[in-house]
Amino acid sequence: MGAADKWLLPLVSVSFVSLLLFLSALSGFSASSSLFARLPPPSYVRRGAAAPPSFAYLLAGGRGDGRKLLRLLLAVYHPRNRYLLHLSADAPASERAELAAAVARAAPAVRAFGNVDVVGRPTAGTPMGSSGLAGTLRAAAAMLRLDAEWDWFVTLNAADYPLLTQDDLIHVFSSVPRHLNFIDHTSDIGWKESQRVQPIIVDAGIYLAGRNQFFQATEKRDTPDGFKFFTGSPWVILNRRFIEYCVFGWENLPRTLLMYFTNVMLPLEGYFHSVACNSDFRNFTVNNDLRYMVWDDPPQMEPHFLNVTHYDELVGSGVPFARKFKENEPLLDKIDDKILRRWRHRPAPGAWCTGRKRWFSDPCSQWSNVNIVRPGPQAEKFRKYINQILEESKSSNNSCKQ
């Protein structure tokens, strides 16, 4: 097995879970009759610089997040994209199998296009330590092997949700240079230097199966002087070339920083940021994570949970994603109804869906050309927002500022 093959996670492909469907009565899910209907063939997905962009989504969660991940997948699904669902090791294998089976039942296009996989051997769900970074890099490596031509890698959590359709996202990103990364970052680490950078953390989940705690050494280490430390939001949108740089490491920098960040308290808040800003990618990094969040002042460890009182503000924000949401939060239903036009347990419809929209039938159970999009009102808001931040990125030179 080659070095690149070792990166590839064992996956449970939802295209091969038909056997699990016979166990649906035991798992608490009911199979739809449409599962056994004849599906239209998958249409040709155009790729390349002249085609609309495509996205590789990592949708990650922990124990009890299976239903939230399924809902998130249906909200961001499009046949042009690639999806990898990761339930951390604290989730039982039965929940992982239920998720794979539920995905196959929920969207006929998933079975036809074969563009959704569930991680079969997950990393730990340690809240602090290197498990999260290890899982993200392994997922990115798997995405590179599964699909050779996606354009951006997007990380989402089970507590996230989109604020526009994939038609909107694809339409706007069609005019965005594909070499850009979107990483919220700063080198002004302040108090984080003594509390986040210098402490030495050992993540037990990396070494011991079934462990999800971490250990902190009594000694601290000096802030590194071989590279500039950057920190920021753990939620990123990274272009394919940068992901290849981090995964395959044709220079020493990604490997050197990976060894350092293995023992950092919250490596997902610094690894990609520091790699980008200490390399040639510094000139292609936009200082924004494209997320709507509500924070305390000063910010705490996590943003507030969103509710219906935030609806007008998040819709007007123009950003494509928001967090954090509780499961079954009424605000999610409002987003489904008003923005995504998505019916419960069905994908958000787009121009690719050609079936009739009725209460008993899914318009996305039939499809034609998946290479065309039909943007809605949110696309214009997002277009204005992204044009603004791209212009600010050029004029203020606030990206990777030393």
Side-chain angles (χ1 to χ4, degrees):
M1 180 180 292
D5 293 317
K6 294 180 181 178
W7 279 102
L8 184 58
L9 279 164
L11 303 174
V12 181
S13 173
V14 297
S15 301
F16 299 97
V17 295
S18 57
L19 178 61
L20 294 172
L21 299 177
F22 292 102
L23 304 178
S24 59
L26 299 177
S27 64
F29 292 86
S30 60
S32 169
S33 60
S34 64
L35 173 65
F36 305 102
R38 179 174 296 177
L39 299 176
S43 64
Y44 173 67
V45 179
R46 289 195 301 112
R47 296 292 179 85
S54 62
F55 300 86
Y57 280 94
L58 170 61
L59 311 182
R63 186 185 185 94
D65 284 338
R67 288 183 175 86
K68 293 172 68 177
L69 285 184
L70 176 62
R71 181 172 188 167
L72 177 59
L73 169 68
L74 294 176
V76 298
Y77 183 79
H78 193 284
R80 291 189 54 79
N81 297 334
R82 191 88 210 182
Y83 302 87
L84 186 59
L85 279 60
H86 180 274
L87 280 173
S88 58
D90 61 325
S94 58
E95 184 179 6
R96 204 165 290 109
E98 284 181 3
L99 176 61
V103 170
R105 288 196 303 268
V110 170
R111 302 190 303 279
F113 288 89
N115 61 339
V116 182
D117 293 277
V118 176
V119 175
R121 190 177 300 167
T123 55
T126 315
M128 294 186 181
S130 56
S131 293
L133 176 59
T136 300
L137 287 172
R138 294 175 70 189
M143 292 287 205
L144 291 172
R145 294 298 304 275
L146 289 167
D147 189 326
E149 296 183 286
W150 49 262
D151 298 290
W152 277 285
F153 178 71
V154 182
T155 60
L156 294 178
N157 180 267
D160 298 343
Y161 214 65
L163 301 180
L164 40 64
T165 67
Q166 290 304 287
D167 276 14
D168 294 336
L169 189 72
I170 293 170
H171 172 72
V172 174
F173 264 89
S174 294
S175 60
V176 174
R178 299 191 188 186
H179 59 264
L180 293 180
N181 296 302
F182 294 86
I183 309 173
D184 172 78
H185 62 274
T186 179
S187 63
D188 183 13
I189 56 179
W191 61 267
K192 291 184 178 181
E193 181 173 12
S194 61
Q195 297 187 30
R196 302 277 182 84
V197 179
Q198 295 177 342
I200 302 173
I201 299 297
V202 178
D203 186 342
I206 292 292
Y207 306 100
L208 300 172
R211 304 292 290 273
N212 60 2
Q213 68 263 48
F214 66 93
F215 305 100
Q216 183 170 342
T218 56
E219 299 293 326
K220 292 185 177 182
R221 55 184 173 180
D222 294 335
T223 303
D225 56 10
F227 63 89
K228 185 71 172 179
F229 196 101
F230 285 80
T231 186
S233 170
W235 313 110
V236 294
I237 299 179
L238 307 174
N239 76 73
R240 183 187 182 89
R241 186 64 173 169
F242 180 67
I243 287 293
E244 291 174 338
Y245 179 69
C246 293
V247 169
F248 298 129
W250 55 77
E251 294 180 349
N252 287 330
L253 180 67
R255 295 191 297 270
T256 301
L257 267 63
L258 182 58
M259 288 189 290
Y260 179 85
F261 277 92
T262 296
N263 300 115
V264 168
M265 186 172 291
L266 295 170
L268 279 174
E269 294 186 4
Y271 176 73
F272 294 117
H273 319 60
S274 299
V275 172
C277 290
N278 286 276
S279 68
D280 291 340
F281 290 94
R282 69 174 65 89
N283 298 320
F284 310 111
T285 299
V286 180
N287 197 356
N288 197 296
D289 62 4
L290 301 182
R291 265 67 168 187
Y292 175 87
M293 291 176 276
V294 176
W295 295 90
D296 285 315
D297 187 16
Q300 302 300 309
M301 282 287 290
E302 292 286 342
H304 289 287
F305 282 104
L306 302 176
N307 56 55
V308 291
T309 64
H310 298 107
Y311 178 78
D312 290 339
E313 186 175 344
L314 64 83
V315 170
S317 69
V319 297
F321 304 105
R323 72 184 319 270
K324 300 169 48 180
F325 296 92
K326 293 181 179 179
E327 186 173 5
N328 299 322
E329 164 60 46
L331 177 56
L332 295 175
D333 296 330
K334 191 168 185 178
I335 293 171
D336 280 345
D337 180 43
K338 302 294 185 181
I339 299 177
L340 303 181
R341 307 294 181 184
R342 189 183 80 86
W343 289 15
R344 194 167 182 83
H345 307 307
R346 295 177 183 175
W352 62 279
C353 306
T354 59
R356 293 185 178 181
K357 187 174 183 180
R358 298 175 178 175
W359 68 268
F360 57 85
S361 65
D362 179 4
C364 298
S365 62
Q366 301 290 322
W367 52 81
S368 57
N369 189 348
V370 301
N371 302 303
I372 59 173
V373 296
R374 186 183 304 115
Q378 286 299 113
E380 180 61 20
K381 296 177 184 177
F382 181 38
R383 184 191 65 79
K384 291 180 179 179
Y385 180 81
I386 205 163
N387 285 347
Q388 176 185 339
I389 64 173
L390 292 181
E391 189 61 33
E392 291 174 353
S393 181
K394 293 176 183 178
S395 60
S396 63
N397 194 29
N398 69 339
S399 294
C400 297
K401 190 174 182 179
Q402 300 288 330

